[in-house]
Amino acid sequence: MIIVMQRQATPEQVDTVVQYIRSCGLQEHLSRGAELTIIGAIGDENKLDLAHLEILPGVERATRIAKQYKIVARDTNPQGTIVNVRGLPIGGPQIQIIGGPCSVETQEQMDLAAEAVAAAGCSMMRGGAFKPRTSPYAFQGLGVTGLEYFQKAAKRHNLPIVTELMDVRMLDTFMKHDVDVIQIGARNMQNFDLLKEVGRVNKPVILKRGLSATISEWLMAAEYIAAGGNHNIIFCERGIRTFETAYRNVLDVTAIPVIKRETHLPVIVDPSHAGGKAWMVPALSQAAVAAGADGLLIEMHPNPADAWCDADQALNPGELKSLVTTLSAIAQAIGRHI
């Protein structure tokens, strides 16, 4: 249920509504805008008396929500949410470009990658210390050593880091190493125990769409995180599996405006995993920005031919820099900036 307070509602009136919600065994979610305060009631809505709510002082209106996802629904914050990553906003007019290699390999490789990411004008850096691979014999990442290489390289250029969490048992390690953004990969989108745990920490979370997940399933996965108290969620479209074999995955550009209509949370796109080929990345990136994406997650390796995994889809430093220049022009044309 959504309760919209009157513009002149006092803090005491807001608190009265909150106390009523709690007394009925539900939880509240407050969204305070410049002019309005909206309160979401989370739980069994049947326990709330709609007529009683609407006569409480300061209440403008109360509306039942039929959708199962309540905290992440746009109704709870119509203006949209901006997720802050060490002072950098994801959402709003600025489009954030997150660049870096698929996996952390060596300290030298990460140092060169960080230098190239910063030189290209990217605001954050990506890299996998733990890698989910289809084959058990493929490179699985360097683990904790990889996190150390990553942090050391990124800190030289003041780049916040984005890396994937695969196992709930490693969450404390991620917190200890001060990972700036925790990524939940496509294969773990419905790992509900993992989602619940990252919902209990105060870290931004990138939630990638599952290979065959519907929009509703994706939103409900985000609701698991939000229900734990962590509302710093960023959706990431990374392509879905279809019958087509000409490319790795189908980038669902349509999902960008649809998800932004359904949720107040920001949406970014991973064009590298969608196309699976470096030559596709620029076109897919441009389409994503034009469609309203709030950021991009782009793979770049100092020397793609030597990459330990996903070499075919990694840009080189020059290609990344050129792409960011092109994307800046597109962003400007639609009233945004990089």
Side-chain angles (χ1 to χ4, degrees), residues 184-193 195 207 213 217-218 221:
I184 302 298
R187 294 169 180 83
N188 271 321
M189 190 205 81
Q190 289 185 306
N191 183 339
F192 300 122
D193 287 338
L195 300 180
L207 179 65
E217 289 168 338
W218 194 14

Side-chain angles (χ1 to χ4, degrees), residues 242-269:
T242 69
F243 56 84
E244 186 53 72
T245 58
Y247 31 80
R248 185 171 181 175
N249 297 293
V250 175
L251 178 63
D252 188 4
V253 178
T254 311
I256 301 169
V258 171
I259 204 80
K260 288 178 77 74
R261 179 184 175 89
E262 290 296 314
T263 179
H264 56 87
L265 297 165
V267 182
I268 67 173
V269 167

Side-chain angles (χ1 to χ4, degrees), residues 54-73:
E54 289 182 330
I55 64 172
L56 289 177
V59 173
E60 176 72 27
R61 64 181 183 276
T63 307
R64 293 189 185 276
I65 300 178
K67 298 170 183 174
Q68 287 183 293
Y69 47 91
K70 305 183 189 308
I71 305 175
V72 305

Side-chain angles (χ1 to χ4, degrees), residues 151-163:
Q151 278 288 26
K152 184 177 179 180
K155 282 181 178 178
R156 291 175 180 168
H157 301 276
N158 196 32
L159 293 167
I161 69 169
V162 177
T163 193

Side-chain angles (χ1 to χ4, degrees), residues 16-24 47-49 52-53 56:
T16 297
V17 174
V18 168
Q19 293 304 319
Y20 173 67
I21 291 171
R22 291 177 180 175
S23 70
C24 294
K47 294 181 179 179
L48 295 175
D49 185 338
H52 176 74
L53 268 171
L56 289 177

Side-chain angles (χ1 to χ4, degrees), residues 93-210:
Q94 186 173 2
I95 299 170
Q96 304 292 354
I97 311 296
I98 307 166
C102 172
S103 64
V104 179
E105 300 165 1
T106 66
Q107 186 65 68
E108 180 184 13
Q109 170 242 11
M110 292 306 290
D111 290 342
L112 291 172
E115 183 178 354
V117 165
C122 298
S123 53
M124 304 180 207
M125 188 172 177
R126 63 170 294 166
F130 300 85
K131 297 299 300 177
R133 305 300 301 278
T134 302
S135 169
Y137 308 112
F139 174 58
Q140 306 287 315
L142 297 178
V144 174
T145 300
L147 285 180
E148 293 169 351
Y149 288 168
F150 195 177
Q151 278 288 26
K152 184 177 179 180
K155 282 181 178 178
R156 291 175 180 168
H157 301 276
N158 196 32
L159 293 167
I161 69 169
V162 177
T163 193
E164 183 172 351
L165 176 67
M166 293 173 52
D167 191 327
V168 68
R169 292 170 296 182
M170 294 305 297
L171 182 55
D172 287 343
T173 301
F174 271 50
M175 299 300 288
K176 178 181 176 182
H177 284 79
D178 198 24
V179 169
D180 296 290
V181 182
I182 297 172
Q183 176 182 303
I184 302 298
R187 294 169 180 83
N188 271 321
M189 190 205 81
Q190 289 185 306
N191 183 339
F192 300 122
D193 287 338
L194 183 60
L195 300 180
K196 289 176 184 177
E197 288 303 312
V198 297
R200 296 189 178 105
V201 300
N202 187 28
K203 287 281 186 181
V205 177
I206 288 177
L207 179 65
K208 284 196 166 186
R209 184 181 183 182

